[in-house]
PDB file of all heavy atoms in Angstrom:
ATOM      1  N   VAL A  23      14.595   2.578  -7.561  1.00  0.00           N
ATOM      2  CA  VAL A  23      15.851   1.811  -7.119  1.00  0.00           C
ATOM      3  C   VAL A  23      15.424   0.770  -6.083  1.00  0.00           C
ATOM      4  O   VAL A  23      15.120   1.050  -5.036  1.00  0.00           O
ATOM      5  CB  VAL A  23      16.902   2.807  -6.663  1.00  0.00           C
ATOM      6  CG1 VAL A  23      18.162   1.933  -6.131  1.00  0.00           C
ATOM      7  CG2 VAL A  23      17.330   3.830  -7.683  1.00  0.00           C
ATOM      8  N   LYS A  25      17.236  -2.060  -5.184  1.00  0.00           N
ATOM      9  CA  LYS A  25      18.273  -2.896  -4.595  1.00  0.00           C
ATOM     10  C   LYS A  25      17.926  -3.330  -3.176  1.00  0.00           C
ATOM     11  O   LYS A  25      17.436  -2.508  -2.383  1.00  0.00           O
ATOM     12  CB  LYS A  25      19.644  -2.168  -4.612  1.00  0.00           C
ATOM     13  CG  LYS A  25      19.669  -0.907  -3.811  1.00  0.00           C
ATOM     14  CD  LYS A  25      20.993  -0.171  -3.976  1.00  0.00           C
ATOM     15  CE  LYS A  25      20.957   1.139  -3.232  1.00  0.00           C
ATOM     16  NZ  LYS A  25      21.804   2.210  -3.832  1.00  0.00           N
ATOM     17  N   ASN A  46      21.875  -2.376  -8.251  1.00  0.00           N
ATOM     18  CA  ASN A  46      23.290  -2.136  -8.168  1.00  0.00           C
ATOM     19  C   ASN A  46      24.160  -3.433  -8.265  1.00  0.00           C
ATOM     20  O   ASN A  46      25.338  -3.269  -8.422  1.00  0.00           O
ATOM     21  CB  ASN A  46      23.620  -1.500  -6.843  1.00  0.00           C
ATOM     22  CG  ASN A  46      23.200  -0.130  -6.628  1.00  0.00           C
ATOM     23  OD1 ASN A  46      22.009   0.100  -6.871  1.00  0.00           O
ATOM     24  ND2 ASN A  46      24.040   0.810  -6.342  1.00  0.00           N
ATOM     25  N   ILE A  67      22.730   0.441 -12.123  1.00  0.00           N
ATOM     26  CA  ILE A  67      23.175   1.737 -11.701  1.00  0.00           C
ATOM     27  C   ILE A  67      24.442   1.656 -10.772  1.00  0.00           C
ATOM     28  O   ILE A  67      24.869   2.611 -10.259  1.00  0.00           O
ATOM     29  CB  ILE A  67      22.051   2.535 -10.925  1.00  0.00           C
ATOM     30  CG1 ILE A  67      21.666   1.760  -9.667  1.00  0.00           C
ATOM     31  CG2 ILE A  67      20.884   2.831 -11.802  1.00  0.00           C
ATOM     32  CD1 ILE A  67      20.701   2.602  -8.753  1.00  0.00           C
ATOM     33  N   MET A 151      25.728  10.212 -16.203  1.00  0.00           N
ATOM     34  CA  MET A 151      25.134   9.960 -14.834  1.00  0.00           C
ATOM     35  C   MET A 151      26.115  10.520 -13.864  1.00  0.00           C
ATOM     36  O   MET A 151      27.332  10.558 -14.073  1.00  0.00           O
ATOM     37  CB  MET A 151      25.117   8.381 -14.676  1.00  0.00           C
ATOM     38  CG  MET A 151      24.582   7.898 -13.327  1.00  0.00           C
ATOM     39  SD  MET A 151      25.800   7.595 -12.222  1.00  0.00           S
ATOM     40  CE  MET A 151      25.047   6.295 -11.240  1.00  0.00           C
ATOM     41  N   MET A 153      26.611  11.607  -9.316  1.00  0.00           N
ATOM     42  CA  MET A 153      26.124  11.684  -7.934  1.00  0.00           C
ATOM     43  C   MET A 153      26.722  12.878  -7.297  1.00  0.00           C
ATOM     44  O   MET A 153      27.978  13.025  -7.309  1.00  0.00           O
ATOM     45  CB  MET A 153      26.449  10.385  -7.169  1.00  0.00           C
ATOM     46  CG  MET A 153      25.495   9.315  -7.318  1.00  0.00           C
ATOM     47  SD  MET A 153      25.885   7.932  -6.154  1.00  0.00           S
ATOM     48  CE  MET A 153      26.915   7.012  -7.246  1.00  0.00           C
ATOM     49  N   MET A 192      18.712  11.760  -6.328  1.00  0.00           N
ATOM     50  CA  MET A 192      18.251  10.543  -5.577  1.00  0.00           C
ATOM     51  C   MET A 192      17.226  11.093  -4.600  1.00  0.00           C
ATOM     52  O   MET A 192      16.713  12.209  -4.629  1.00  0.00           O
ATOM     53  CB  MET A 192      19.456   9.879  -4.908  1.00  0.00           C
ATOM     54  CG  MET A 192      20.679   9.944  -5.766  1.00  0.00           C
ATOM     55  SD  MET A 192      22.087   8.818  -5.386  1.00  0.00           S
ATOM     56  CE  MET A 192      22.009   8.554  -3.675  1.00  0.00           C
ATOM     57  N   SER A 193      16.868  10.140  -3.628  1.00  0.00           N
ATOM     58  CA  SER A 193      15.794  10.529  -2.716  1.00  0.00           C
ATOM     59  C   SER A 193      16.017  11.915  -2.079  1.00  0.00           C
ATOM     60  O   SER A 193      15.099  12.722  -1.921  1.00  0.00           O
ATOM     61  CB  SER A 193      15.620   9.513  -1.610  1.00  0.00           C
ATOM     62  OG  SER A 193      15.135   8.338  -2.148  1.00  0.00           O
ATOM     63  N   SER A 194      17.240  12.214  -1.643  1.00  0.00           N
ATOM     64  CA  SER A 194      17.487  13.342  -0.837  1.00  0.00           C
ATOM     65  C   SER A 194      17.699  14.603  -1.646  1.00  0.00           C
ATOM     66  O   SER A 194      17.466  15.728  -1.157  1.00  0.00           O
ATOM     67  CB  SER A 194      18.764  13.200  -0.011  1.00  0.00           C
ATOM     68  OG  SER A 194      19.817  12.938  -0.867  1.00  0.00           O
ATOM     69  N   ARG A 208      16.888   8.715  -9.815  1.00  0.00           N
ATOM     70  CA  ARG A 208      16.984   7.350  -9.356  1.00  0.00           C
ATOM     71  C   ARG A 208      16.576   7.338  -7.893  1.00  0.00           C
ATOM     72  O   ARG A 208      17.361   7.801  -7.061  1.00  0.00           O
ATOM     73  CB  ARG A 208      18.422   6.886  -9.487  1.00  0.00           C
ATOM     74  CG  ARG A 208      19.057   7.103 -10.859  1.00  0.00           C
ATOM     75  CD  ARG A 208      20.390   6.625 -10.902  1.00  0.00           C
ATOM     76  NE  ARG A 208      21.194   7.223  -9.874  1.00  0.00           N
ATOM     77  CZ  ARG A 208      22.000   8.309 -10.059  1.00  0.00           C
ATOM     78  NH1 ARG A 208      22.090   8.871 -11.242  1.00  0.00           N
ATOM     79  NH2 ARG A 208      22.663   8.826  -9.030  1.00  0.00           N
ATOM     80  N   ILE A 209      15.406   6.857  -7.522  1.00  0.00           N
ATOM     81  CA  ILE A 209      14.927   7.044  -6.198  1.00  0.00           C
ATOM     82  C   ILE A 209      14.624   5.696  -5.584  1.00  0.00           C
ATOM     83  O   ILE A 209      13.800   4.896  -6.099  1.00  0.00           O
ATOM     84  CB  ILE A 209      13.672   7.939  -6.235  1.00  0.00           C
ATOM     85  CG1 ILE A 209      14.061   9.318  -6.809  1.00  0.00           C
ATOM     86  CG2 ILE A 209      13.018   7.993  -4.794  1.00  0.00           C
ATOM     87  CD1 ILE A 209      13.017  10.364  -6.744  1.00  0.00           C
ATOM     88  N   GLY A 210      15.226   5.467  -4.424  1.00  0.00           N
ATOM     89  CA  GLY A 210      14.997   4.178  -3.724  1.00  0.00           C
ATOM     90  C   GLY A 210      14.257   4.376  -2.457  1.00  0.00           C
ATOM     91  O   GLY A 210      13.022   4.081  -2.348  1.00  0.00           O
ATOM     92  N   SER A 211      14.879   4.927  -1.391  1.00  0.00           N
ATOM     93  CA  SER A 211      14.247   4.952  -0.056  1.00  0.00           C
ATOM     94  C   SER A 211      12.899   5.728  -0.008  1.00  0.00           C
ATOM     95  O   SER A 211      12.002   5.418   0.739  1.00  0.00           O
ATOM     96  CB  SER A 211      15.187   5.502   1.004  1.00  0.00           C
ATOM     97  OG  SER A 211      16.037   6.446   0.483  1.00  0.00           O
ATOM     98  N   LEU A 212      12.714   6.732  -0.847  1.00  0.00           N
ATOM     99  CA  LEU A 212      11.435   7.402  -0.817  1.00  0.00           C
ATOM    100  C   LEU A 212      10.294   6.610  -1.331  1.00  0.00           C
ATOM    101  O   LEU A 212       9.100   6.840  -1.065  1.00  0.00           O
ATOM    102  CB  LEU A 212      11.496   8.671  -1.681  1.00  0.00           C
ATOM    103  CG  LEU A 212      11.905  10.028  -1.049  1.00  0.00           C
ATOM    104  CD1 LEU A 212      11.800  11.219  -1.986  1.00  0.00           C
ATOM    105  CD2 LEU A 212      11.151  10.338   0.269  1.00  0.00           C
ATOM    106  N   ARG A 217      16.775   1.059   3.481  1.00  0.00           N
ATOM    107  CA  ARG A 217      17.286  -0.219   3.169  1.00  0.00           C
ATOM    108  C   ARG A 217      17.967  -0.848   4.444  1.00  0.00           C
ATOM    109  O   ARG A 217      18.637  -0.106   5.155  1.00  0.00           O
ATOM    110  CB  ARG A 217      18.363  -0.117   2.013  1.00  0.00           C
ATOM    111  CG  ARG A 217      17.724  -0.030   0.624  1.00  0.00           C
ATOM    112  CD  ARG A 217      18.805   0.209  -0.375  1.00  0.00           C
ATOM    113  NE  ARG A 217      19.580   1.424  -0.221  1.00  0.00           N
ATOM    114  CZ  ARG A 217      19.192   2.581  -0.680  1.00  0.00           C
ATOM    115  NH1 ARG A 217      18.107   2.740  -1.407  1.00  0.00           N
ATOM    116  NH2 ARG A 217      19.946   3.642  -0.533  1.00  0.00           N
ATOM    117  N   TYR A 219      20.533  -3.394   5.234  1.00  0.00           N
ATOM    118  CA  TYR A 219      21.591  -4.161   4.628  1.00  0.00           C
ATOM    119  C   TYR A 219      21.941  -5.376   5.464  1.00  0.00           C
ATOM    120  O   TYR A 219      22.406  -6.422   4.998  1.00  0.00           O
ATOM    121  CB  TYR A 219      22.879  -3.396   4.338  1.00  0.00           C
ATOM    122  CG  TYR A 219      22.731  -2.437   3.144  1.00  0.00           C
ATOM    123  CD1 TYR A 219      22.525  -1.114   3.353  1.00  0.00           C
ATOM    124  CD2 TYR A 219      22.797  -3.035   1.884  1.00  0.00           C
ATOM    125  CE1 TYR A 219      22.457  -0.277   2.274  1.00  0.00           C
ATOM    126  CE2 TYR A 219      22.629  -2.155   0.780  1.00  0.00           C
ATOM    127  CZ  TYR A 219      22.486  -0.773   0.978  1.00  0.00           C
ATOM    128  OH  TYR A 219      22.311   0.037  -0.074  1.00  0.00           O
TER     129      TYR A 219
HETATM  130  C1  LIG B   1      21.016   3.384  -4.023  1.00  0.00           C
HETATM  131  C2  LIG B   1      21.204   4.360  -5.097  1.00  0.00           C
HETATM  132  C3  LIG B   1      20.223   5.303  -5.426  1.00  0.00           C
HETATM  133  C4  LIG B   1      18.977   5.546  -4.685  1.00  0.00           C
HETATM  134  O1  LIG B   1      19.318   6.005  -3.371  1.00  0.00           O
HETATM  135  P1  LIG B   1      18.116   6.588  -2.424  1.00  0.00           P
HETATM  136  O2  LIG B   1      18.767   7.588  -1.569  1.00  0.00           O
HETATM  137  O3  LIG B   1      17.620   5.467  -1.690  1.00  0.00           O
HETATM  138  O4  LIG B   1      17.062   7.234  -3.288  1.00  0.00           O
HETATM  139  C5  LIG B   1      20.464   6.114  -6.509  1.00  0.00           C
HETATM  140  N1  LIG B   1      21.535   5.972  -7.290  1.00  0.00           N
HETATM  141  C6  LIG B   1      22.518   5.049  -6.992  1.00  0.00           C
HETATM  142  C7  LIG B   1      23.649   4.972  -7.963  1.00  0.00           C
HETATM  143  C8  LIG B   1      22.382   4.271  -5.954  1.00  0.00           C
HETATM  144  O5  LIG B   1      23.400   3.394  -5.642  1.00  0.00           O
END
Side-chain angles (χ1 to χ4, degrees):
V23 176
K25 61 185 175 206
N46 290 54
I67 63 171
M151 180 266 212
M153 272 189 272
M192 322 198 330
S193 291
S194 58
R208 309 177 307 265
I209 299 186
S211 35
L212 269 188
R217 284 175 294 276
Y219 285 103

